[in-house]
Amino acid sequence: MDISVVIPAFNRVDLLRASVGSVLVAAGRAAPLRVECVVVDDGSDSPLEPRLGDLRARFAPPHCLRVIRQANAGSSAARMTGLHNANGEFVQFLDSDDLLHPDKLAAHVRAMRETGAELSYCDQATTRPYDPLNDAHEPARLSEKVLPTVGTAAELFIGVQTAPHAPVFRRAALLAALANPLVPPSRVFEPAGDTWLFFNCATQPWRVCKVNGPFAVTVCHDDEHLSMKWEKLGVPALAVTLVFALRCPQTPETRAARALLGAAAFQSYRRLPRRFHAEYERLTLAVYQTSPIDAPRARLGGRRFARLASVLGPARAARVLRRFQCGPYSRCRTIDREELDDVFGRALRHVIAVSGREPFEARFGRSPVQLAPTLVGGA
């Protein structure tokens, strides 16, 4: 098998059928490459396999479609189930509400075989929902994003922070990287499963190649999805970041990844709404302050920031500019304060349990959330 496409799925049958349809169209365009699609039904209310039977019948081997059903364990666990059941030399992950461009699989396999890369990635596009198998024409793209060309996994996964279905991995390399992950898997990280996967790959010394073209297609739809409650994405992403920062070996080989992590945390801090969550804000900024400060100030902000940072320093400049550039949390809140406290408190206690209280406090100081997760309303 040349390439496996792994789709974790939970309900959302119509969107899933479109995703599978895009794989099968891409498989047809990739011939004579052998392509399989592995759908992992993560405990959907009704089994998904009967709803996909006509798609299997429509495409004969080597364009295989397999459905594996498991008890609900979250999309990250489903992704890992698919990875361990995949047979391809390469593996492509795809969320059940996104699509592959018809030329994506062929382009990535060709590029990776020509370069010997363990990892490839492409540009991105957004579109409206459509059926790749039955619609005569795909809808116009709403937007396109051309990603910079980078040469390391750290630059891609920490610096660029690509869409989850933009990369393609050499399966053997990915299995080796996840055999003993820096950030151990946990349901706590589930909403930020892409961040968990990417950070666990960020220190790998892989060869990386870029495939030019918006071959990773994100669908803008009205069905419920995690980004509708951004706090429930942001808190687990910070938890992954903290565990990575604490467990990443302090070696010359990882310095670039640790410096990129600091710069990414700084940019995240600058984008936070005012009066969001004091401890979340403190820890986000602390990741930057305790990481190797290798990033030029141009990477931390624009000209206005650079001028102010030359006088006040980056952290103070960021605090000042947030007062003018970021709106209040009350305007973008999607969950109430009690729920935010609960989500943050559980995540932070898991970080400390995984990484150890002493290493956490040595690097980030004692968090009042350890005692009473009620600290809301930051600077």
Side-chain angles (χ1 to χ4, degrees), residues 9-16 41-48 96:
F10 178 77
N11 296 333
R12 293 202 302 198
V13 176
D14 291 339
L15 289 168
L16 170 63
D41 181 352
D42 188 41
S44 298
D45 295 337
S46 299
L48 296 174
S96 62

Side-chain angles (χ1 to χ4, degrees), residues 212-291:
N212 292 316
F215 296 143
V217 183
T218 298
V219 178
C220 297
H221 59 83
D222 296 328
D223 285 34
E224 184 175 354
H225 48 91
L226 286 171
S227 59
M228 290 180 173
K229 295 187 176 181
W230 64 269
E231 299 96 327
K232 290 189 173 183
L233 286 174
V235 170
L238 175 61
V240 171
T241 299
L242 293 171
V243 174
F244 180 89
L246 290 165
R247 290 170 60 94
C248 185
Q250 308 290 298
T251 64
E253 290 76 17
T254 67
R255 183 180 178 90
R258 291 181 284 119
L260 285 164
L261 183 75
F266 188 85
Q267 291 286 12
S268 177
Y269 172 79
R270 291 198 61 197
R271 291 190 297 267
L272 290 173
R274 300 196 311 272
R275 298 190 61 79
F276 170 48
H277 190 289
E279 190 63 0
Y280 185 108
E281 296 175 24
R282 183 187 76 82
L283 288 171
T284 302
L285 189 58
V287 172
Y288 163 72
Q289 293 171 320
T290 60
S291 297

